[in-house]
C-alpha cells in the first residue's frame, strides 16, 4: 500500500512504525526452509505526478514478478513513502528508512536521490535511483560507467536537440520560443542550457519563465501567452509536470504547442511529450535492485542505465485545439522518432 504523507504527519507515522523482518533474512523464527527470504526495499517518491507514479508502479510490479520467479519476497509495502516535494519530509523519510535497516533505498527523481545520497554517505545501504536526468551533473556518481560509491540507477537523460528539431519541423516559421521550467529542479538545468545553445546557433529569439509552485507556473504560462511565443519547451521538470493540468487549456486556447520531456506531460494536456519510456525505466530500476540484493552486485561498479530517446506522444485533443492537423504533424516528426503514439488528456496512466 502506498503511503502518501506530509511532514506534519510524519512524526506520528514514524512513532507507530513496527519492527519489521530482519534485513535479508528468512521470514521469522521457526520459518521452514521453504519460506521466502525477505528483503526490505525502501521507495521514496518525490511528488505525485503521472511520470513518477508510473515509475513507482512499475518498480513495484517488477519486484513482485521477480520475487515470484526467484522465490524471495521484496517487502516495499511497509517502506514506501511520498515526500510531496518537501525537503524536510524527504530527509525525515530517509532517516526513518536507515533506522529501519532496509536493504536498499530507491529514490525517485533527482532531488530525492541527492537527499538519500547525502544521508547514506557513511552508510553501506545500496541506493538505486530512478529518473535522474544528469547523474554526474547532480554529483550523484563519479561517472556513468563507474558510479564509484554505494549509488547507481537509471537516467531519463533528454535529447534536447531532437525536441528543438521537432518544434521547427512542425512549424518552420517559428521565431520566438518560450522556455518554461523550475529553477529549483537541477534536472532541468542542462536541458535548458542545451535549448539556449540550439536556439542561439539558429538565431531564434527565446524568453525564459520559471515557477516553483503551481500558481507560479500558471502565472509564467500566462506571461508566455502574453508574449506571443510560437512554441514552449519544458524538459523533464517535475514542478511543471505537476502543474500541467492547470496550464494546458490556456496554452491550447492561445494556439501555443507545448513540447515536453516526457509522455506524462502529453497525458496531462501538453501537445507533445518526447523521451524515455517511464514504464520501462521503472522495470529496469527494479531489475538493478534485484541484481544487487539477490546476485550480490556492487552498485559502485554498476553502470547507470540510460535509454534511447525515441518515443513521441501527441495529445490528439490538444493537437486539434491548437489548429494542427494530426497526420501532417506526424509526417513532419517521423524522422525524429522511433515511434509516435497518440493519447488523450487524463490525470493518470491506466
Amino acid at each position: 500500500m502506498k503511503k502518501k504523507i506530509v511532514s506534519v504527519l510524519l512524526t506520528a507515522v514514524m512513532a507507530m512504525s513496527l519492527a519489521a523482518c530482519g534485513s535479508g533474512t528468512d521470514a521469522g523464527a521457526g520459518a521452514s526452509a521453504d519460506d521466502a527470504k525477505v528483503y526490505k526495499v525502501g521507495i521514496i517518491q518525490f511528488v505525485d505526478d503521472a511520470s513518477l507514479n508510473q515509475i513507482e508502479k512499475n518498480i513495484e510490479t517488477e519486484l513482485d514478478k521477480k520475487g515470484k520467479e526467484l522465490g524471495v519476497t521484496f517487502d516495499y509495502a511497509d517502506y514506501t513513502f511520498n515526500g510531496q516535494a518537501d525537503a524536510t519530509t524527504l530527509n525525515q523519510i530517509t532517516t526513518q528508512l536507515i533506522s529501519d535497516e532496509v536493504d536498499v533505498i530507491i529514490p525517485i527523481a533527482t532531488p530525492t536521490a541527492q537527499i538519500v545520497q547525502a544521508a547514506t554517505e557513511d552508510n553501506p545501504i545500496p541506493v538505486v535511483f530512478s529518473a535522474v536526468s544528469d547523474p554526474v551533473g547532480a554529483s550523484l556518481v563519479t561517472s556513468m560507467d563507474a558510479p564509484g560509491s554505494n549509488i547507481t540507477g537509471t537516467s531519463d537523460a533528454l535529447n534536447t536537440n531532437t525536441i528543438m528539431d521537432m518544434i521547427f519541423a512542425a512549424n518552420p516559421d517559428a521565431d520566438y520560443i518560450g522556455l518554461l521550467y523550475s529553477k529549483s529542479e537541477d534536472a532541468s538545468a542542462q536541458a535548458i542550457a542545451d535549448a539556449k545553445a540550439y536556439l542561439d546557433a539558429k538565431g531564434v529569439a527565446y524568453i525564459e519563465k520559471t515557477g516553483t509552485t503551481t500558481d507560479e507556473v500558471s502565472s509564467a504560462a500566462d506571461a508566455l501567452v502574453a508574449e506571443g511565443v510560437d512554441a514552449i519547451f519544458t524538459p523533464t521538470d517535475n514542478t511543471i509536470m505537476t502543474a500541467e493540468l492547470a496550464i494546458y487549456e490556456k496554452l491550447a486556447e492561445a494556439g501555443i504547442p507545448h513540447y515536453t520531456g516526457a509522455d506524462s506531460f502529453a497525458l496531462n494536456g501538453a501537445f507533445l511529450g518526447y523521451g524515455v519510456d517511464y514504464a520501462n525505466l521503472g522495470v529496469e530500476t527494479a531489475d538493478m535492485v534485484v541484481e544487487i540484493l539477490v546476485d550480490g552486485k556492487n552498485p559502485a561498479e554498476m553502470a547507470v542505465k540510460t535509454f534511447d530517446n525515441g518515443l513521441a506522444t501527441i495529445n490528439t485533443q490538444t493537437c486539434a485545439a491548437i489548429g494542427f492537423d494530426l497526420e501532417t504533424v506526424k509526417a513532419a516528426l517521423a524522422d525524429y522518432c522511433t515511434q509516435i503514439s497518440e493519447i488523450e488528456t487524463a490525470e493518470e496512466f491506466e
Side-chain angles (χ1 to χ4, degrees):
M1 176 180 65
K2 187 182 197 179
K3 301 175 183 174
K4 299 183 185 297
I5 56 177
V6 293
S7 56
V8 71
L9 297 177
L10 186 60
T11 301
V13 171
M14 290 178 177
M16 296 171 62
S17 295
L18 299 176
C21 299
S23 176
T25 60
D26 290 336
S32 71
D34 294 331
D35 285 331
K37 179 170 283 190
V38 177
Y39 296 100
K40 296 191 291 188
V41 178
I43 300 176
I44 310 179
Q45 178 69 283
F46 175 59
V47 71
D48 275 319
D49 72 38
S51 287
L52 303 187
N53 292 345
Q54 187 183 27
I55 293 168
E56 182 189 331
K57 178 181 177 181
N58 281 275
I59 288 172
E60 294 168 352
T61 300
E62 180 70 1
L63 288 176
D64 289 341
K65 176 184 173 184
K66 289 294 185 181
K68 289 180 180 178
E69 290 177 358
L70 299 169
V72 300
T73 297
F74 297 106
D75 179 10
Y76 56 80
D78 294 324
Y79 308 102
T80 296
F81 299 95
N82 192 313
Q84 301 297 359
D86 183 90
T88 299
T89 304
L90 290 165
N91 273 292
Q92 290 174 326
I93 291 169
T94 304
T95 298
Q96 179 62 37
L97 291 176
I98 293 171
S99 176
D100 286 338
E101 297 184 345
V102 295
D103 296 294
V104 66
I105 300 177
I106 306 174
I108 301 175
T110 301
T112 317
Q114 290 173 318
I115 286 171
V116 173
Q117 180 206 36
T120 60
E121 198 167 18
D122 299 318
N123 193 296
I125 297 175
V127 176
V128 181
F129 57 73
S130 189
V132 171
S133 299
D134 185 6
V136 176
S139 300
L140 291 171
V141 299
T142 302
S143 74
M144 298 290 278
D145 292 330
S149 185
N150 65 316
I151 187 167
T152 186
T154 58
S155 173
D156 58 348
L158 185 66
N159 187 334
T160 303
N161 284 1
T162 297
I163 297 186
M164 294 292 109
D165 287 340
M166 289 181 174
I167 291 174
F168 295 100
N171 181 8
D173 296 325
D175 60 9
Y176 194 23
I177 306 300
L179 305 177
L180 178 61
Y181 64 102
S182 171
K183 288 184 177 179
S184 66
E185 296 269 349
D186 288 347
S188 296
Q190 186 59 54
I192 292 298
D194 291 343
K196 290 178 183 179
Y198 179 104
L199 294 169
D200 285 339
K202 198 175 179 68
V204 173
Y206 56 85
I207 182 171
E208 299 173 65
K209 294 295 178 181
T210 65
T212 58
T213 67
T214 294
D215 286 344
E216 289 177 358
V217 172
S218 186
S219 295
D222 288 335
L224 291 174
V225 170
E227 282 286 331
V229 296
D230 297 307
I232 295 172
F233 166 66
T234 294
T236 49
D237 189 301
N238 294 302
T239 301
I240 309 302
M241 174 67 248
T242 303
E244 187 66 40
L245 284 167
I247 66 172
Y248 81 92
E249 289 180 314
K250 66 179 68 181
L251 298 182
E253 289 170 4
I256 301 173
H258 191 189
Y259 293 81
T260 64
D263 58 354
S264 50
F265 285 92
L267 175 75
N268 284 177
F271 164 61
L272 182 141
Y274 175 80
V276 305
D277 180 342
Y278 277 88
N280 186 48
L281 193 79
V283 170
E284 293 294 337
T285 303
D287 287 346
M288 294 183 79
V289 168
V290 173
E291 289 182 74
I292 291 168
L293 296 183
V294 179
D295 300 335
K297 288 193 175 182
N298 182 357
E301 301 171 353
M302 296 174 67
V304 175
K305 287 191 177 181
T306 57
F307 304 84
D308 291 334
N309 289 289
L311 305 177
T313 303
I314 295 174
N315 185 305
T316 55
Q317 293 166 312
T318 301
C319 182
I322 63 178
F324 279 4
D325 176 74
L326 178 61
E327 295 307 317
T328 301
V329 168
K330 289 170 68 175
L333 303 183
D335 289 343
Y336 303 99
C337 321
T338 57
Q339 179 182 334
I340 298 177
S341 61
E342 301 170 17
I343 204 167
E344 293 189 350
T345 305
E347 186 172 351
E348 295 280 353
F349 290 100
E350 294 181 359

